[in-house]
Amino acid sequence: MAVSLIDAGLFSLAAIVLLGSPGPGIAALVAVGKAEGFARGLRFYGGLQVGLAVAAAVSAAGLFSAIQALPYAVTAMMVAATAYLLYLAWRIATAPVGAGGPAAATVAATSAGGFLLGVTNPKAYIAFASLMASASLVRSDSSADAALKWLLCVVVMIVADILWLWLGAAIERAKPRPSTERAINLAMAATIAGTALAAVL
């Protein structure tokens, strides 16, 4: 199985740009890290990774087009993802700040919440579908090509998302002033809500 390292490197770079750049999932990871800390935030992170890996596998298998063909399937996914994201944004925006903030604000940081966000987000499917449709990395074997692309996407997500979770925890450890913390919360909530609404409007 011949794999071009240059092509694999370019694919990984594209995956970093598409999957590691700020969006609702990234903002949610930062918010969870800030509210729950790194260790407790791993629950949400783990669920998100499993959900995204499933979404990537669906795209790698070419099943996203089949999902799109089902009546209301994409709409149902979008409604579920948007509802969860808006709920998450509201919890972040209204979370207490100061000494009692993190303990009182769970921001729905559960593994089930992370999985739901990962597996129902149509934007993630679109990103994966774009990556899977890119130039072949294994030209002699389409199944091996899809598997390698899936693996590279998963590795990129694992590394990029753990860094975003760590950043959120680092913000909390820095103990910002309540006014600064409130501004951070509102900015993250606005990012999540804005991106969620933009997907359905």
Side-chain angles (χ1 to χ4, degrees):
M1 182 177 70
V3 179
S4 168
L5 293 180
I6 294 177
D7 288 345
L10 291 174
F11 178 89
S12 298
L13 182 60
I16 291 171
V17 172
L18 286 173
L19 304 176
S21 56
I26 299 298
L29 277 169
V30 174
V32 167
K34 178 180 169 296
E36 296 289 314
F38 185 81
R40 293 187 64 185
L42 288 173
R43 297 176 302 172
F44 181 86
Y45 165 83
L48 180 65
Q49 298 313 299
V50 173
L52 288 172
V54 170
V58 168
S59 299
L63 297 178
F64 183 58
S65 57
I67 293 174
Q68 289 178 305
L70 294 174
Y72 308 114
V74 174
T75 300
M77 290 168 55
M78 190 170 293
V79 168
T82 301
Y84 176 77
L85 287 169
L86 291 177
Y87 169 69
L88 190 62
W90 176 77
R91 291 294 302 270
I92 293 168
T94 60
V97 296
T106 61
V107 294
T110 64
S111 57
F115 178 80
L116 175 65
L117 177 56
V119 80
T120 63
N121 192 341
K123 289 192 67 179
Y125 284 95
I126 292 170
F128 290 132
S130 174
L131 288 167
M132 298 305 169
S134 63
S136 296
L137 303 181
V138 185
R139 293 180 175 82
S140 59
D141 189 334
S142 59
S143 295
D145 180 66
L148 179 58
K149 287 178 177 178
W150 176 85
L151 179 61
L152 290 173
C153 285
V154 169
V155 170
V156 166
M157 291 185 300
I158 288 173
V159 175
D161 288 353
I162 201 72
L163 292 175
W164 285 110
L165 178 66
W166 175 86
L167 176 62
I171 292 172
E172 176 54 33
R173 287 196 301 272
K175 301 299 179 186
R177 293 181 300 175
S179 59
T180 302
E181 186 176 357
R182 173 62 68 198
I184 292 171
N185 286 357
L186 291 175
M188 288 187 294
T191 299
I192 294 171
T195 309
L197 291 174
V200 298
L201 296 178

